[in-house]
Amino acid sequence: MKLKPICLAFALAFTAATAMPTLAAAPKAVVAAKATAYTSVEGITEYRLPNGLRVLLAPDASKPTTTVNVTYLVGSRHESYGETGMAHLLEHMVFKGTKDRGNIMQELSKRGMQFNGTTFYDRTNYFETFPASEDNLKWALEMEADRMVNSKVARVDLDTEFSVVRNEMEIGENNPFGVLWKQLSAATFDWHNYGHSTIGARSDVEGVKITNLQAFYRKFYQPDNAVLMVAGKFDAAKTLALIEKSFGVIAKPTRELSNTWTREAPRDGTREVTVRRVSDQQLAAVLYPTSAGSHADAAAVSALGEILGSSPNGRLYKKLVESKKAVSVGEITFQLAEPGYAMFLGIMSKDQNVADVKASLIETVEGLAQEPVTEAELKRAKTNLLNALEKTINDPQRLCVSMSESIALGDWRMFFIERDRIEALTVADVQRVAQNYFKADNRSYGQFLPVAKPDRAEIPAAPDVAKLVEGYKGRATVAAGETFDATAVNIDKRTEKLTLKNGAKVALLSKKTRGETVNGNLSLHFGDEKSLFGKVAVADLTADMLMRGSGKFTRAELDTKLGELKAKLRISGAGQNLNVSFDTVRANLPALLDLLREVLRAPTFPQSEFDLLVKENLTQIESGKNEPQAVATRAMGALKNSLYKKGDIRYQSSFNEAMEEYSTAKLDSVKDFYKTFYGANSAEFSLVGDFDAAEVKTKLATVLGDWNSPAKYVRVPSLNLNANGQANSIETPDKANAFYLASLPFELDDQSPDYPALRVANNILGGGIKSRLFNRLRQKEGISYGAGSSLSVPSLDKNAAVVLYAMYAPQNLAKLQTGVKEELALLVKDGVTAAELADAKQSIAQEGNIRRAQDPALAGNLRGQLYVGRSMAFDAEVEAKIAALTLDDVNAVIRKYVKPDSFAHFYVGDFAGAAKKAAAAK
């Protein structure tokens, strides 16, 4: 398990209907100022405006999308006593709109833009990705400039936002790791705000004064405290002119910002903390304060994270997982503006020994003096870290958003300096850093133990980043790809389709991409209803075992080889299908295809790996027994069990049934399953990106074209489930957050004339940010962090369904039920409006444009089309039908299919506990 820092924030919106208090006056507007070129590194150019705004432009015409990202140098580190969570709360509030602009979240959704806002210790950022056009870019830049200084930040919006943020807190309280992380970091820092969770204390969020929040906004949301980045497809000169026009008129504020000055003293001994809550898994973690992310030591700390915490090559994996002391391990090495920390984690099932894991964690992390880092370990760590950075550089959207972290260190060029430092690392560097930070007196685990003589770690001060980056030039800009027209017509025109000797179908779309990247997708199909009966767990285990050893490679060696090839390979299986996806670069594609052949056709099925895999599955199943979302999902899935016998691949097992299936599975059964069913004569393969088509076709002849399954493939259909109105309440004790699911099945496939109108109806009901369910449960009532609906319509069967979902606190059950009931009734009674129809059409069209522009998604789409015998023309036809829909079309379909009384509802949470708390409060 590779853990990543959790940015505990997402966008939120609400339309105020009452008067709002007046904010302090924003800086007076000035005449638009011209930007001055400041520096340029590897294709990114920095400009500066007189008002202090820093502007980064990273044009890349190879992607038909543009990303705008604004980073404000304010996070939870800048909050004062009693104001924890203010930076995160403000992130929610600036989606509410400005004095001249409506609800920003709804406007973003209306335009079909991908967007988000996140808050962490040192920064807050807002980004939006959209199909490249001057109109979209102009709107995004003007919107960001407007909300920089003109956001409402009104009391009426804050009142509803409290409940949404509380629900977000409750979601975090359901997560064992999140709870442990929060308390462990709090025990580590005496004074610094890095010891506080970004989401803040519940009492601070609930008690914040609107005047304090407005003052915080006016202080930090200003051009001299922000960095604007635009990446992707755009005209640099025109974009800079737009920025000058929209941001250049904002005056430079007269206030001055001061640096934070709190620093922790060297540690005097081990600290420990214990958390006891209801759960079905155990965790043990060690945490060590380290240098600031801009310090030279940070690169070595990152490498140590890989050497110790990666799977399956890391030392902790070998020490804990391979010895069956734990089911998985993880690591986080924070790179922050001021001295931060590194954390290592072991996850166990209920029957494994925490004390053993604690001892092994400490022995492994702090034992590097006795067992020094090897050259091979450092090489592997550097390869993985540098591959990740290269993939970021090759993806304009990812690069644009990721730059927020480097900006938070003090300057965006730290991104490239960190890469250079990783490349230059030596074993001696890594060894010195490990021995300085990873020591007993610098450790937090969960207890405090006095010692006779403190062994303090010296934490260096953050360097002067301005001097550090002064004169930095970087290296040559990554080669850009072609300007690709991601329309359905052009995709079909550029896609070559063929059939291999054994019947496997292939779709190849070759194009020049940034960094010569390529994405692939493969599905194998096998067996029939009878031959697969009773083999659900075995089918899943067989697929998962493929990556755990082949004829030439162990699991660890496979992982290392993929790193060398700059590749990712993902394999999963269920029922009749094996699904494979991968990505790499042009030069390494032939070698990756050879490796794929090795993995698919020469698995070794080692017993030790099988034992680990079974344990992982059992732990995962068991951990879901008391998780509201997992319980609701299985309960709703069990509705179809009236159609199938236990053992059928379509049957939904209970938690206990699944535990039995996996615990009794044998390796010999997995080997037999592989020999009986695996082959590529019923398969589809797709490839999108930079590759030699002739070379690929030659390779595929031996990778897939001469491999046949002994068992004939006959597709198992999904039977139609009759709607059966019902309400089910399930208790999950001691869970702060509850989960709601509802399902309405009906007969329909995606060739039906009603399908386009149903897609629009779903978008309006709950398929987007502007949807009715989201607006009612989150925007207006503030009882849900996330709520909406989804529409599932198959191509080859007619078992369609609408699913409703919501997260909420158990004490808000009645409000949730009322809200859902009323919104469904209004939808059927009054239908949708012309404005809703127009917004839904635009949103669906923009989302389609973005999906076609993303190579991994496009590869999956082409593979799926091969299976059902279609081309992109089908998608274009559906989109054209959606564009032509009338109000009468949509409303007629709603009345035909949406039957509120026929939904099956599932409410899962600690409702008994909520009732007891409510009774005690009276």
Side-chain angles (χ1 to χ4, degrees), residues 199-505:
I199 202 168
R202 187 183 184 111
S203 58
D204 286 358
V205 173
E206 292 178 342
V208 66
K209 296 180 179 178
I210 188 65
T211 52
N212 291 33
L213 192 59
Q214 291 168 345
F216 193 88
Y217 168 69
R218 288 298 185 206
K219 180 179 180 179
F220 292 107
Y221 278 57
Q222 296 291 347
D224 64 343
N225 195 46
V227 180
L228 166 67
M229 184 169 183
V230 183
K233 185 176 181 180
F234 61 90
D235 183 288
K238 291 181 179 179
T239 300
L240 189 60
L242 285 173
I243 292 170
E244 291 169 341
K245 183 178 179 181
S246 53
F247 287 89
V249 297
I250 302 174
K252 184 174 183 177
T254 56
R255 62 94 184 89
E256 293 185 4
L257 293 173
S258 58
N259 294 326
T260 54
W261 55 82
T262 300
R263 297 292 183 272
E264 295 287 317
R267 294 279 293 274
D268 291 319
T270 302
R271 302 181 185 187
E272 296 189 2
V273 61
T274 300
V275 179
R276 292 185 177 90
R277 290 197 180 191
V278 174
S279 183
D280 293 296
Q281 63 178 195
Q282 303 179 92
L283 300 92
V286 288
L287 183 157
Y288 303 86
T290 59
S291 68
S294 54
H295 193 275
D297 284 358
V301 172
S302 294
L304 284 164
E306 284 285 329
I307 291 167
L308 292 167
S310 66
S311 297
N313 285 306
R315 292 191 178 190
L316 288 172
Y317 183 89
K318 297 182 182 300
K319 186 78 171 182
L320 296 175
V321 180
E322 291 186 355
S323 66
K324 301 182 181 179
K325 293 180 180 179
V327 296
S328 61
V329 296
E331 58 85 18
I332 312 178
T333 53
F334 287 97
Q335 295 195 9
L336 305 175
E338 294 174 3
Y341 57 95
M343 181 162 53
F344 301 91
L345 176 76
I347 300 177
M348 295 145 281
S349 61
K350 291 193 296 185
D351 58 354
Q352 291 173 313
N353 191 297
V354 177
D356 286 348
V357 172
K358 174 186 177 182
S360 295
L361 275 172
I362 294 170
E363 177 186 352
T364 305
V365 177
E366 297 177 17
L368 289 167
Q370 291 72 40
E371 295 184 44
V373 172
T374 67
E375 289 287 353
E377 286 178 317
L378 179 57
K379 179 182 177 181
R380 185 164 51 242
K382 290 167 70 172
T383 296
N384 291 341
L385 292 169
L386 293 171
N387 282 352
L389 289 171
E390 183 176 342
K391 288 181 184 294
T392 299
I393 292 172
N394 290 337
D395 185 331
Q397 179 179 1
R398 188 191 305 180
L399 177 65
C400 191
V401 177
S402 296
M403 272 297 173
S404 291
E405 308 305 329
S406 300
I407 291 166
L409 298 182
D411 193 287
W412 60 276
R413 288 168 286 183
M414 287 304 305
F415 179 93
F416 299 102
I417 288 177
E418 174 71 1
R419 176 201 60 197
D420 298 349
R421 285 172 168 173
I422 291 171
E423 287 180 336
L425 279 176
T426 66
V427 168
D429 295 330
V430 176
Q431 199 66 30
R432 172 188 58 79
V433 168
Q435 291 177 222
N436 182 48
Y437 300 117
F438 300 164
K439 56 179 62 178
D441 281 355
N442 196 42
R443 179 207 319 144
S444 294
Y445 178 81
Q447 297 178 3
F448 176 83
L449 298 175
V451 294
K453 182 180 180 181
D455 184 14
R456 297 185 177 94
E458 295 296 328
I459 309 298
D464 184 336
V465 175
K467 291 182 179 179
L468 187 64
V469 302
E470 185 176 356
Y472 182 75
K473 301 300 182 184
R475 60 189 67 176
T477 303
V478 176
E482 66 175 281
T483 301
F484 184 74
D485 177 16
T487 60
V489 172
N490 187 57
I491 291 171
D492 274 341
K493 181 180 178 182
R494 293 281 296 270
T495 300
E496 179 184 1
K497 295 182 179 180
L498 60 141
T499 301
L500 300 181
K501 184 178 179 180
N502 65 345
K505 300 174 182 177

Side-chain angles (χ1 to χ4, degrees), residues 356 719 881:
D356 286 348
L719 304 181
K881 290 178 180 179

Side-chain angles (χ1 to χ4, degrees), residues 564-737:
E564 293 172 355
L565 295 177
K566 301 180 180 179
K568 292 290 185 182
L569 178 59
R570 297 160 289 270
I571 299 179
S572 63
Q576 293 187 281
N577 305 307
L578 179 78
N579 301 307
V580 180
S581 64
F582 60 84
D583 63 82
T584 186
V585 295
R586 179 188 178 103
N588 297 337
L589 179 61
L592 179 60
L593 291 175
D594 288 338
L595 183 63
L596 178 60
R597 187 186 194 281
E598 179 84 9
V599 168
L600 291 176
R601 301 179 64 171
T604 54
F605 298 113
Q607 182 71 53
S608 59
E609 288 291 345
F610 178 76
D611 294 341
L612 289 174
L613 179 61
V614 170
K615 188 67 175 177
E616 289 173 14
N617 277 277
L618 291 174
T619 301
Q620 182 180 29
I621 295 167
E622 191 170 23
S623 68
K625 288 182 176 180
N626 202 47
E627 292 300 324
Q629 185 170 349
V631 172
T633 301
R634 277 194 188 263
M636 190 173 77
L639 288 174
K640 63 184 179 182
N641 286 349
S642 61
L643 303 174
Y644 312 117
K645 296 179 180 179
K646 180 181 176 182
D648 191 290
I649 59 173
R650 297 161 292 186
Y651 178 85
Q652 174 64 70
S653 299
S654 67
F655 286 106
N656 289 336
E657 287 171 339
M659 293 283 289
E660 175 69 15
E661 291 166 5
Y662 281 88
S663 63
T664 57
K666 303 298 181 185
L667 182 57
D668 285 343
S669 299
V670 167
K671 293 178 180 179
D672 289 342
F673 189 94
Y674 175 82
K675 293 177 182 178
T676 302
F677 294 105
Y678 273 38
N681 47 312
S682 295
E684 303 85 40
F685 178 89
S686 63
L687 203 61
V688 176
D690 205 334
F691 60 89
D692 183 325
E695 183 179 35
V696 168
K697 285 184 279 188
T698 300
K699 281 286 182 186
L700 290 178
T702 56
V703 174
L704 300 175
D706 59 352
W707 186 33
N708 296 312
S709 170
K712 182 180 179 182
Y713 168 61
V714 179
R715 189 182 71 86
V716 180
S718 293
L719 304 181
N720 299 332
L721 180 67
N722 293 326
N724 180 18
Q726 55 185 283
N728 304 274
S729 181
I730 305 172
E731 290 285 337
T732 52
D734 201 37
K735 293 297 180 180
N737 189 61

